[in-house]
Amino acid sequence: MNQTTFIQQLPKVELHLHIEGTLEPEMMFELAQRNQIALPFNTPEAVRAAYQFSNLQSFLDTYYQGARVLIHEQDFYDLTWAYLLRCQADNVIHTEIFFDPQTHTERGIAFDTVLNGIDRALRDGREQLGISSHLIMCFLRHLDEDSAFDTLRMVLPHKDKIVAVGLDSSELGHPPEKFERVFQEAIGHGFLTVAHAGEEGPVENIHNSLELLSISRIDHGVRCVDDSALVEKLAQRRVPLTVCPLSNTKLKVFDHMDRHNIVELLRRNVCVTINSDDPAYFGGYMTDNFQAVANSHALTPQELAQFTLNAIEASFIDDAHKQRLTRQVQDFMHQALA
Ligand code: ADE
Ligand code: ZN
């Protein structure tokens, strides 16, 4: 089996995926028409051509604009279902996805409209596609603490549908300490926590997210290499990093994939995983991200599979489920390397 086929067929687990970031230009046009929303572009190709980003903020400005076409519960269902079909095509067997309620509630869309559409698609994905999933609600860090508290209150009647809370959007100028009290309250309600940290922001954001927000995983976290004692600690404690290779090159966190540090971190025994972040904007889903790393770094089949084993370890599923998924990877390896 050649490496391209191996990567395509390898069972995968995704832990860092913003559902709003799976809005392909074609669906953007379809929903814009359905919901009578004007777009500043004439064709999906023109939208795609405009996706040239210089940093995180330049992307976020475009991304929040795109989300305006999502209005009805069915829109959120269709968006999530289309992503799950991509998972099926990429052999993603489990996924833990983010959504940003404030992107929608700030525009007057009801929290329940968003959540119910996504949740119904995830349930259909489990039943019809056999893809297990969890949902993580993120707070937008460029908004204030009060808005995050309001959002936390909205989710309380739906605790059974959400496994964790997270923190995303503009990292520079909005450090984790701004949300310490919200996160502590969320923990009190039984939620696990994660946060974007050390994507564009300094390594202090990783330290503070671990200490003040009690996070179980670091989203991105690639700036950890600025502090070698931290890298040692992450490796020893197996604190997971949900790394997004194509996102990082698109947003100029690294100039080129051959400068990306994910393979160095893997070999330093950090629990790094490969994820797609906002695949409709960054040029690829899970298989594309694995392939992009493998194109720029020499990796053995065992190392490629280790990304999935790390993701299983880092996931929020129970031990029996972890064992089942691990067995699936082992069976695949036996067959692929036979
Ligand atoms: N929201 C969607 N994608 C993001 C990213 N890469 N960083 C921060 N916030 C985001
Ligand atoms: Zn992200």
Side-chain angles (χ1 to χ4, degrees):
M1 182 183 286
N2 66 31
Q3 194 188 53
T4 306
T5 308
F6 178 91
I7 287 174
Q8 156 61 38
Q9 293 186 4
L10 174 67
K12 302 172 192 73
V13 166
E14 176 141 70
L15 303 178
H16 185 152
L17 179 283
H18 302 265
I19 197 62
E20 294 89 349
T22 67
L23 179 62
E24 292 287 345
E26 288 75 16
M27 185 177 283
M28 193 187 291
F29 270 77
E30 208 179 295
L31 295 180
Q33 196 166 37
R34 200 154 97 185
N35 296 330
Q36 315 259 292
I37 290 168
L39 291 177
F41 296 97
N42 292 324
T43 62
E45 291 69 34
V47 173
R48 224 171 243 119
Y51 290 168
Q52 305 291 335
F53 310 116
S54 49
N55 55 24
L56 175 59
Q57 193 60 51
S58 65
F59 154 69
L60 291 171
D61 294 341
T62 305
Y63 167 76
Y64 296 131
Q65 282 301 308
R68 289 183 311 117
V69 301
L70 297 160
I71 306 283
H72 302 291
E73 182 183 312
Q74 190 63 36
D75 304 340
F76 291 94
Y77 179 94
D78 291 348
L79 178 73
T80 308
W81 184 250
Y83 164 66
L84 289 167
L85 293 177
R86 293 303 298 248
C87 285
Q88 184 183 43
D90 279 3
N91 290 302
V92 173
I93 53 178
H94 174 72
T95 182
E96 300 187 358
I97 74 176
F98 300 128
F99 76 118
D100 288 337
Q102 289 153 299
T103 298
H104 315 297
T105 54
E106 290 264 306
R107 304 182 284 120
I109 310 295
F111 181 91
D112 291 18
T113 298
V114 180
L115 178 59
N116 290 339
I118 298 170
D119 178 65
R120 184 158 57 86
L122 292 179
R123 273 188 282 134
D124 284 351
R126 286 174 211 127
E127 284 166 22
Q128 296 172 31
L129 307 175
I131 299 171
S132 57
S133 52
H134 275 311
L135 190 53
I136 300 171
M137 176 182 96
C138 285
F139 301 112
L140 295 179
R141 67 202 305 158
H142 67 273
L143 299 179
D144 62 20
E145 187 194 35
D146 282 347
S147 176
F149 268 120
D150 289 345
T151 307
L152 180 59
R153 277 178 209 117
M154 286 183 221
V155 81
L156 295 180
H158 304 282
K159 264 162 72 168
D160 57 316
K161 301 189 184 87
I162 310 273
V163 70
V165 299
L167 189 61
D168 64 3
S169 190
S170 322
E171 189 182 1
L172 295 173
H174 302 284
E177 43 280 27
K178 180 173 165 186
F179 296 96
E180 181 179 2
R181 295 190 299 186
V182 182
F183 269 62
Q184 290 310 324
E185 184 159 322
I187 291 165
H189 287 293
F191 294 107
L192 295 166
T193 62
V194 298
H196 285 54
E199 176 187 14
E200 255 190 3
V203 70
E204 287 71 33
N205 284 357
I206 300 178
H207 285 289
N208 288 334
S209 299
L210 289 167
E211 276 161 36
L212 306 177
L213 309 184
S214 311
I215 57 173
S216 304
R217 316 194 276 249
I218 304 161
D219 295 317
H220 294 292
V222 290
R223 292 284 298 272
C224 68
V225 291
D226 295 348
D227 178 346
S228 57
L230 175 63
V231 174
E232 279 299 303
K233 181 173 113 172
L234 297 176
Q236 239 166 33
R237 300 188 188 173
R238 297 290 290 164
V239 179
L241 264 55
T242 65
V243 179
C244 307
L246 285 172
S247 165
N248 292 155
T249 49
K250 268 280 186 180
L251 301 186
K252 319 286 187 211
V253 173
F254 298 95
D255 313 334
H256 192 277
M257 198 60 81
D258 60 15
R259 309 291 301 270
H260 202 293
N261 60 21
I262 188 168
V263 176
E264 175 197 338
L265 290 168
L266 179 76
R267 292 176 183 159
R268 291 171 76 177
N269 201 33
V270 178
C271 186
V272 282
T273 65
I274 292 181
N275 307 274
S276 71
D277 206 5
D278 302 286
Y281 292 85
F282 301 147
Y285 289 78
M286 283 292 273
T287 296
D288 305 308
N289 272 275
F290 271 78
Q291 192 63 57
V293 173
N295 288 346
S296 291
H297 300 264
L299 285 162
T300 65
Q302 285 77 14
E303 285 176 318
L304 285 163
Q306 190 61 44
F307 288 117
T308 297
L309 295 172
N310 286 352
I312 295 169
E313 179 186 341
S315 70
F316 293 146
I317 56 182
D318 64 33
D319 287 346
H321 193 171
K322 285 185 182 183
Q323 276 172 20
R324 283 200 303 280
L325 299 191
T326 302
R327 177 60 65 87
Q328 253 180 281
V329 177
Q330 288 166 344
D331 289 349
F332 168 77
M333 290 297 278
H334 283 136
Q335 169 215 320
L337 302 180

